[in-house]
Amino acid sequence: MVSPELSDTSGDVQYSISGRGDADYFKFDATGTFTGPCKGYVNMPEMVAAGPLPDTVGVLREKTITWTISVSDESIERTTGPHTVFRTYAYPGTDYKGWPVPMAANWMTTKRADGCCSWAEGHSSASGTARSLWDNMAEPNDPPYEPGEVPGKPLKGPGDWKRCWELLDGNVSGQCDPQAALMASACNLLGVEAKVGLVHASLDAGASHCLNQEKRKVGLQWQYLYLDADPGTGFNMQQWEGCCVVEGRYYALWPKIEANDDYDMLKNKLGAENGWTQWWCRLDDAGKPIPVEPGPAIP
């Protein structure tokens, strides 16, 4: 825009505008003509920086640009800033195809951009960006908190996934799947495609065989295959282990585990390394799983 401090003119007027910062991506130039008489402000054309932003995720802080605007024989200079630029991996995404609940609350905010871009500073790949978020959100980092670490009802189940950002405020805790939804939401806001994967106990071996809960009917009673996450010291029945899935890899946040796929997560990481076992359970009137008998070993 041309400042009203410049003289009013009539007829065609040549102008130029230049902006200078500390790098080519803060360097701008434009020239053109507008038709007088000119009073007040004139809209200038869109300008493109002389160079691209760094090809990594991160944050540029406290940047200023000095602008020189010339019209006819008169010029003025102004400095804008401080500016903050958030660099994402790709265009931020807010629509999660295939999720069981809408993620309408997953919009970009300055706080979310600052935190996520800072955590992923310097990364230029989807996997590196995802892992940096995982490192900053997973065990033993607080927040997010595990159930019981702070007062109140924890977030649990797909219906609470849309509240996942609340976990970083430290006022609520969350089970594994809202925590996975938090990582997936952060990945998507940085332009890394991610989703939540629920790893269940399974009767079958192989990738993609652990994504649905197994059940059987014994007499008139339905029984469901659950995971016991605390074998030997008392039952801790888990319907699933919620994971963030990026480029086919599975990331659990608590316990902090990375796996090649859902079957690798179940058999090798939860089973072999952490000792989780499988149990047939019935559900009581409140929907709580009650162990009935040991299930088969993880195949």
Side-chain angles (χ1 to χ4, degrees):
M1 294 183 178
V2 175
S3 168
E5 298 175 29
L6 298 176
S7 301
D8 292 342
T9 60
S10 60
D12 290 347
V13 176
Q14 302 296 315
Y15 68 83
S16 66
I17 180 171
S18 66
R20 294 294 181 268
D22 63 0
D24 281 349
Y25 43 80
F26 288 133
K27 179 180 178 181
F28 303 90
D29 290 287
T31 59
T33 302
F34 59 82
T35 301
C38 170
K39 294 184 181 293
Y41 290 88
V42 175
N43 291 326
M44 303 296 286
E46 185 176 299
M47 290 185 290
V48 178
L53 290 166
D55 191 22
T56 57
V57 177
V59 187
L60 298 170
R61 304 182 189 276
E62 299 294 320
K63 299 299 183 180
T64 60
I65 303 174
T66 299
W67 300 92
T68 301
I69 306 165
S70 299
V71 177
S72 299
D73 296 327
E74 299 181 69
S75 297
I76 62 170
E77 188 173 281
R78 293 288 185 270
T79 298
T80 60
H83 301 289
T84 302
V85 179
F86 301 113
R87 309 189 314 274
T88 60
Y89 173 76
Y91 192 82
T94 58
D95 180 25
Y96 304 118
K97 297 178 180 178
W99 283 40
V101 291
M103 297 298 292
N106 198 53
W107 53 76
M108 182 69 82
T109 66
T110 299
K111 186 177 181 180
R112 294 173 185 177
D114 201 335
C116 294
C117 289
S118 296
W119 281 340
E121 182 76 47
H123 286 284
S124 58
S125 66
S127 60
T129 300
R131 287 182 63 87
S132 68
L133 296 174
W134 180 57
D135 284 336
N136 282 278
M137 293 179 176
E139 180 187 19
N141 297 302
D142 288 328
Y145 290 108
E146 284 287 286
E149 289 190 302
V150 294
K153 183 180 179 181
L155 303 185
K156 58 180 293 185
D160 280 343
W161 293 2
K162 58 182 175 292
R163 296 180 56 196
C164 61
W165 286 105
E166 295 179 34
L167 293 171
L168 290 182
D169 293 330
N171 298 322
V172 297
S173 61
Q175 294 191 346
C176 57
D177 50 318
Q179 291 195 22
L182 173 63
M183 177 179 168
S185 296
C187 286
N188 278 279
L189 282 190
L190 294 187
V192 174
E193 186 174 344
K195 64 180 181 179
V196 174
L198 304 178
V199 178
H200 295 76
S202 180
L203 301 176
D204 303 314
S208 79
H209 290 189
C210 314
L211 302 178
N212 296 288
Q213 189 170 37
E214 307 275 5
K215 64 180 181 179
R216 69 181 185 180
K217 195 169 187 180
V218 180
L220 299 177
Q221 182 185 83
W222 281 105
Q223 297 178 359
Y224 301 86
L225 196 60
Y226 272 72
L227 291 164
D228 181 8
D230 198 14
T233 60
F235 290 117
N236 180 8
M237 309 313 297
Q238 304 287 330
Q239 185 177 5
W240 57 58
E241 177 63 22
C243 301
C244 175
V245 185
V246 179
E247 294 187 328
R249 296 190 67 78
Y250 278 63
Y251 298 87
L253 277 72
W254 198 289
K256 185 181 181 183
I257 303 172
E258 179 183 6
N260 295 325
D261 51 48
D262 58 307
Y263 180 64
D264 182 36
M265 176 65 72
L266 175 65
K267 181 175 178 63
N268 299 318
K269 305 304 172 66
L270 299 178
E273 294 182 13
N274 288 273
W276 290 28
T277 58
Q278 303 190 141
W279 278 77
W280 287 109
C281 297
R282 65 176 179 85
L283 302 183
D284 66 13
D285 292 341
K288 179 181 178 181
I290 307 298
V292 174
E293 65 178 31
I298 299 172

